[in-house]
Amino acid sequence: MVTGANPRMDKPIGGLNGASGSSRWPFNVTSRASQRYLLIVIIAIAALVVVLYHTHDRGLSGIPTYLPKTKWGSAGKGSKSKSSGRCMPIFNPEIDAPPAADVKALWNFWLGLKDLFDDNAPAEKIEHPSPEATGDMPMKEKLHTLVQMGEGSAITSRKSHSEVVSNLPDYLTDTFTGRGVVMLAGGKYSEYAATSLNILRLVGSSLPVEVWVGDESEELDGWCDELAQQRMACRRLSDYVDMKHFEHPYQWKIFTILFSGFEDVLFLDADAFPLVDPEPIFDSEVYLKNGAIIWPDYWGNTESSWTPFITRNESRATELPEGKSAESGQLFWNKKMHWKLSTVIMPLLLATYYNYHGPHFYYSLLNSGWAGWGDKDTFSTALRALSHPFHFSPHGIGTIFLTQTATGIGMLRADPRSTTVDTPAFLHANWIKWGARHMLCAGCTELFPSLDGGPPRDDQDKPLPFMSHLEEPLSGEDHVRRLSYALRYSERIIKPDGLWEWDPELLIWRAMEWVACRSRAWGDDQMCAQARVHMRRTFGVGFQVVADGKGEGEDGVLGMPEDILTGSNVCVVEPPPQEEFWRRMKEKKGIRE
């Protein structure tokens, strides 16, 4: 382990009464006036120390630059260490990239499915109710007013639904095989995906991965090539389906699962990632028995009173159903179990029908247009409609908070292998997205200015420049100010909690450091320096230059040499609490000390 001065623990200032020899004071320290004067001096010295610390190596703007003024900074000089073994690579070169499913066969399959869906569209369009209409959690008396639909339209929509169920095609044999991760990225979400994919490998998973984007306009130059080098596959939805069929990106998720070459799928949103190796879950009893694992959302089930009538051939509901709505940031799905075999109908194709007609009907029908409007409830609704088994996690959501605030920034999803012990297995980020550029980049420009409705605009409707969390002013809203302050002054972002075997925030920073420092598609020297100094100051992480796969260089603390500060050929030396975890990961990857 690298040892060295902690940049936050300066040598104590000599005590007022602790100096050797006699103490001579120009005033009587026992008098009240002198005591007040002494207190003022102490407060002034303390304030000066704080100012000096927070302005160390910072520009006039207050944003850290952290570039060393000399080869070795005073805090890091003389701090030397040799690596105890080979550096652990994030990506295992022995993992095979997944082959693509038959693109032509799936294209033709979809065209036939689309005709079935078009011929059996819902009777009318339901527009997304405005936020003012939905407001608070809908109560029983509001239920019938949120989604306006006549009985005649409901009957026609139920007939169309039944016609679709009766004519869904058979399972595509010899098309899907194996198990793997499917992640929907594209545009700015690719940046978050880059972090999440690194975390997947850092926790020891060797599952093959397909990363999906909408079309070529959503790709960052060079990133798909980088994914190929990491034995991951880059897929475009536009190769399988005409994107003009979709009105909203919420519709894309189901199609990435449908067109994926895997038979057993772990779907992850770009801002969701595992905290444990997820592969053993595929072999667990809960998955083998049910073939689908879904987690609940924060909110209760707010489906329209017409939902059971249309999708389950039941009577119209008179009150809100019990239980929670679903959340689809992560889900497990066995295609073969939930396809059409004999008299068993495939919920995945039915969920595809819901999403195809989602923006103007099913998204509002399934949650009354309230919070979470989109694809998230289509999966569980399709399973219930066809009486298919699935595991709906009984565990609640563990919320992680922004340090020193009550602002929730992520959802912990429990390991489904236990119904009694609430052990986190996934983290789905919400307000804070863990992307290196959006966290750390100073003076960057927007990579995808035409996507997601374009950049935010000011009061004169002029596009605002890209601004990372690091650059956000300290005069903004409390949670924005708190995050920017933590990044500028090397503090934790996640409020500490004792739920994990290891620190999830350090795991995230390890992944972002790789993106900032080692990725040819995403990397940047300024981001790299920012990430490494933050990790050193906040977590005590060390860095060493690599020679022949081993750490050979000195480790700087504050004034790191430039080859460590921004170099790509650098080892990460974990702090003591993490050493056992990383040792186990090295052994799993076959890297011996």
Side-chain angles (χ1 to χ4, degrees):
M1 170 61 198
V2 175
T3 58
N6 187 324
R8 290 174 162 250
M9 301 295 289
D10 295 330
K11 292 181 180 180
I13 299 173
L16 290 176
N17 291 312
S20 59
S22 61
S23 298
R24 296 176 178 266
W25 296 89
F27 45 80
N28 184 357
V29 296
T30 61
S31 70
R32 289 189 176 182
S34 297
Q35 289 174 350
R36 284 196 298 270
Y37 178 80
L38 185 60
L39 179 61
I40 292 172
V41 170
I42 292 172
I43 293 173
I45 292 173
L48 179 61
V49 169
V50 171
V51 170
L52 288 175
Y53 169 72
H54 285 311
T55 56
H56 176 76
D57 276 350
R58 286 170 168 80
L60 294 176
S61 66
I63 297 174
T65 57
Y66 296 130
L67 294 177
K69 297 176 187 292
T70 60
K71 181 177 180 182
W72 291 102
S74 59
K77 189 173 182 178
S79 175
K80 302 180 180 180
S81 177
K82 297 289 185 180
S83 173
S84 60
R86 289 176 59 85
C87 294
M88 183 185 69
I90 288 183
F91 299 101
N92 187 343
E94 297 180 359
I95 298 175
D96 293 328
D102 188 328
V103 176
K104 184 176 180 180
L106 286 173
W107 179 281
N108 292 329
F109 172 80
W110 162 243
L111 291 179
L113 199 61
K114 177 181 177 298
D115 288 342
L116 175 65
F117 293 171
D118 286 336
D119 292 342
N120 294 280
E124 63 179 72
K125 291 185 176 181
I126 303 175
E127 298 304 328
H128 184 188
S130 66
E132 293 77 16
T134 53
D136 297 329
M137 178 75 174
M139 305 303 291
K140 294 179 183 179
E141 56 271 19
K142 281 190 175 182
L143 187 62
H144 298 290
T145 65
L146 293 177
V147 172
Q148 300 290 336
M149 185 188 308
E151 185 175 356
S153 293
I155 292 173
T156 302
S157 298
R158 180 161 77 169
K159 289 180 179 178
S160 296
H161 184 278
S162 298
E163 189 68 18
V164 167
V165 168
S166 300
N167 290 280
L168 289 173
D170 291 331
Y171 183 69
L172 294 172
T173 56
D174 302 323
T175 301
F176 311 113
T177 183
R179 61 178 58 162
V181 174
V182 172
M183 180 172 286
L184 178 57
K188 66 181 181 182
Y189 290 95
S190 293
E191 177 193 343
Y192 314 142
T195 301
S196 298
L197 294 170
N198 287 345
I199 294 175
L200 176 73
R201 293 299 184 234
L202 283 169
V203 298
S205 175
S206 58
L207 284 168
V209 175
E210 293 180 352
V211 180
W212 290 76
V213 299
D215 56 31
E216 188 177 4
S217 70
E218 295 203 331
E219 293 180 10
L220 177 69
D221 288 344
W223 190 47
C224 280
D225 293 335
E226 191 166 271
L227 289 173
Q229 294 171 2
Q230 297 162 2
R231 306 298 193 270
M232 299 182 185
C234 193
R235 309 263 195 255
R236 296 175 184 165
L237 267 175
S238 58
D239 290 339
Y240 296 76
V241 62
D242 188 342
M243 298 299 289
K244 292 185 294 186
H245 297 162
F246 304 134
E247 298 182 38
H248 200 290
Y250 287 157
Q251 298 172 278
W252 299 2
K253 181 182 298 185
I254 190 76
F255 287 91
T256 66
I257 299 173
L258 179 63
F259 296 144
S260 163
F262 302 126
E263 186 167 86
D264 292 279
V265 173
L266 165 58
F267 177 87
L268 291 173
D269 274 350
D271 54 6
F273 47 81
L275 299 175
V276 298
D277 182 357
E279 185 165 11
I281 296 176
F282 282 112
D283 298 315
S284 66
E285 181 181 359
V286 66
Y287 180 74
L288 295 175
K289 178 181 178 181
N290 296 287
I293 301 175
I294 297 175
W295 281 262
D297 209 334
Y298 283 112
W299 307 290
N301 189 332
T302 59
E303 67 182 22
S304 162
S305 59
W306 286 116
T307 300
F309 179 84
I310 293 172
T311 66
R312 300 193 290 272
N313 290 324
E314 299 175 3
S315 300
R316 184 183 183 185
T318 58
E319 60 183 34
L320 283 173
E322 299 294 329
K324 294 286 188 179
S325 61
E327 192 258 319
S328 60
Q330 59 291 303
L331 60 87
F332 285 83
W333 197 283
N334 179 294
K335 289 183 181 178
K336 192 171 184 178
M337 179 181 290
H338 295 302
W339 201 288
K340 180 178 178 180
L341 291 171
S342 184
T343 58
V344 180
I345 309 301
M346 178 197 182
L348 185 59
L349 290 186
L350 185 57
T352 305
Y353 172 69
Y354 294 158
N355 280 274
Y356 182 68
H357 292 294
H360 294 293
F361 191 83
Y362 277 102
Y363 291 165
S364 295
L365 182 76
L366 300 188
N367 87 331
S368 298
W370 201 64
W373 183 92
D375 64 89
K376 70 187 191 70
D377 289 298
T378 60
F379 299 92
S380 57
T381 300
L383 288 160
R384 290 190 179 102
L386 301 174
S387 301
H388 268 233
F390 70 100
H391 177 76
F392 195 68
S393 176
H395 299 288
I397 300 175
T399 302
I400 62 170
F401 295 92
L402 177 63
T403 183
Q404 300 185 35
T405 73
T407 301
I409 59 175
M411 301 180 287
L412 292 172
R413 310 325 323 245
D415 194 318
R417 290 169 289 184
S418 174
T419 58
T420 57
V421 180
D422 193 351
T423 304
F426 296 92
L427 195 160
H428 188 187
N430 41 43
W431 178 65
I432 290 180
K433 309 295 187 184
W434 299 94
R437 292 185 83 255
H438 276 76
M439 282 286 184
L440 302 172
C441 201
C444 287
T445 57
E446 181 60 64
L447 291 177
F448 304 97
S450 62
L451 297 179
D452 304 317
R457 296 179 174 273
D458 61 16
D459 295 338
Q460 283 74 44
D461 199 35
K462 295 180 180 180
L464 294 172
F466 176 90
M467 181 178 292
S468 68
H469 292 304
L470 174 72
E471 298 173 297
E472 287 173 337
L474 298 181
S475 58
E477 295 181 71
D478 180 60
H479 60 285
V480 176
R481 180 173 66 250
R482 183 65 253 171
L483 175 57
S484 182
Y485 187 92
L487 290 170
R488 294 185 188 201
Y489 301 121
S490 299
E491 294 185 356
R492 291 185 57 91
I493 293 174
I494 297 176
K495 185 178 293 186
D497 203 305
L499 291 175
W500 303 282
E501 290 184 30
W502 67 93
D503 191 339
E505 185 170 347
L506 180 53
L507 187 71
I508 297 168
W509 277 100
R510 281 282 283 110
M512 288 202 298
E513 185 268 348
W514 194 97
V515 174
C517 302
R518 307 160 202 271
S519 169
R520 293 182 179 180
W522 298 100
D524 175 84
D525 282 353
Q526 175 267 325
M527 290 195 303
C528 181
Q530 196 79 43
R532 286 178 175 166
V533 172
H534 183 92
M535 291 169 70
R536 182 57 174 159
R537 285 179 161 176
T538 308
F539 304 103
V541 173
F543 299 91
Q544 295 175 329
V545 176
V546 178
D548 297 326
K550 295 184 179 181
E552 297 289 351
E554 298 182 58
D555 172 71
V557 180
L558 274 181
M560 290 188 281
E562 193 164 352
D563 56 352
I564 286 181
L565 197 64
T566 61
S568 61
N569 205 30
V570 173
C571 264
V572 176
V573 183
E574 302 300 329
Q578 304 287 306
E579 285 181 340
E580 177 61 21
F581 168 68
W582 294 116
R583 184 188 65 78
R584 296 199 307 269
M585 292 296 101
K586 287 179 180 180
E587 288 182 353
K588 185 167 184 177
K589 293 173 179 287
I591 301 172
R592 295 290 182 261
E593 298 291 349

